[in-house]
Amino acid sequence: GTIQAESVSGSVHLDGDFTECEATSVSGSVHVKTVRDEVRAKSVSGSIEVEGMTPKKIECETNSGSVSYTGGLAPDAKLEASTHSGSVKLRLPADVSARVHAETFSGGINNDLSDAQAERPKYGPGASLNTKFGSGSANIDASAFSGSVTLTTK
């Protein structure tokens, strides 16, 4: 089914078989496990961990904390993961099919899913990675202002 959970000062933990899920915390971490279709997870000050089956839409956003997603992606899925101060780690199947745009201002980009390497500007900080895995049916946008972005197998 569908679930919505929020906390002002504390963590949100959801573990079940959800079709659609929205979890929000102002000051605390957000943990969501077993999402089938769509998940939105947000925190102002806390980490986000999401585990999905093959969702169609995943939005993970925190201002201060890390973001972690483990799971597959449905064809034509959209995965957005961002943090201002923390790292983004995406654990995906080795045969994932997606177009990827990853960027960081003061961190590195680690891509264990292919030979594609992040590009760095000649002058100034930052790195970006634009690549395609498989046929590129899904879209992945990952960003960390102050931290790293890692793409690895689950």
Side-chain angles (χ1 to χ4, degrees), residues 72-129:
L73 296 173
D76 300 322
K78 185 171 185 179
L79 167 57
E80 297 176 351
S82 66
T83 179
H84 184 79
S85 179
S87 62
V88 172
K89 187 164 192 174
L90 306 178
R91 294 176 190 93
L92 304 164
D95 62 350
V96 68
S97 174
R99 294 184 183 279
V100 176
H101 173 73
E103 63 184 357
T104 180
F105 180 75
S106 64
I109 297 177
N110 307 303
N111 174 19
D112 297 334
L113 295 174
S114 76
D115 293 334
Q117 298 293 314
E119 296 178 3
R120 292 193 171 274
K122 187 173 181 178
Y123 301 104
S128 64
L129 173 69

Side-chain angles (χ1 to χ4, degrees), residues 20-38:
E20 198 171 316
C21 176
E22 183 171 347
T24 307
S25 177
V26 174
S27 180
S29 60
V30 174
H31 303 272
V32 179
K33 188 173 179 184
T34 318
V35 176
R36 292 187 180 277
D37 194 26
E38 188 172 323

Side-chain angles (χ1 to χ4, degrees), residues 32-90:
V32 179
K33 188 173 179 184
T34 318
V35 176
R36 292 187 180 277
D37 194 26
E38 188 172 323
V39 60
R40 287 173 303 285
K42 294 185 180 185
S43 178
V44 174
S45 179
S47 63
I48 295 174
E49 292 181 26
V50 174
E51 183 179 321
M53 303 291 276
T54 53
K56 295 176 187 170
K57 187 173 184 182
I58 305 108
E59 295 176 9
C60 300
E61 179 183 351
T62 183
N63 198 29
S64 178
S66 61
V67 174
S68 174
Y69 174 74
T70 302
L73 296 173
D76 300 322
K78 185 171 185 179
L79 167 57
E80 297 176 351
S82 66
T83 179
H84 184 79
S85 179
S87 62
V88 172
K89 187 164 192 174
L90 306 178

Side-chain angles (χ1 to χ4, degrees), residues 10-28:
S11 297
V12 175
H13 294 270
L14 301 174
D15 187 355
D17 190 351
F18 307 114
T19 304
E20 198 171 316
C21 176
E22 183 171 347
T24 307
S25 177
V26 174
S27 180

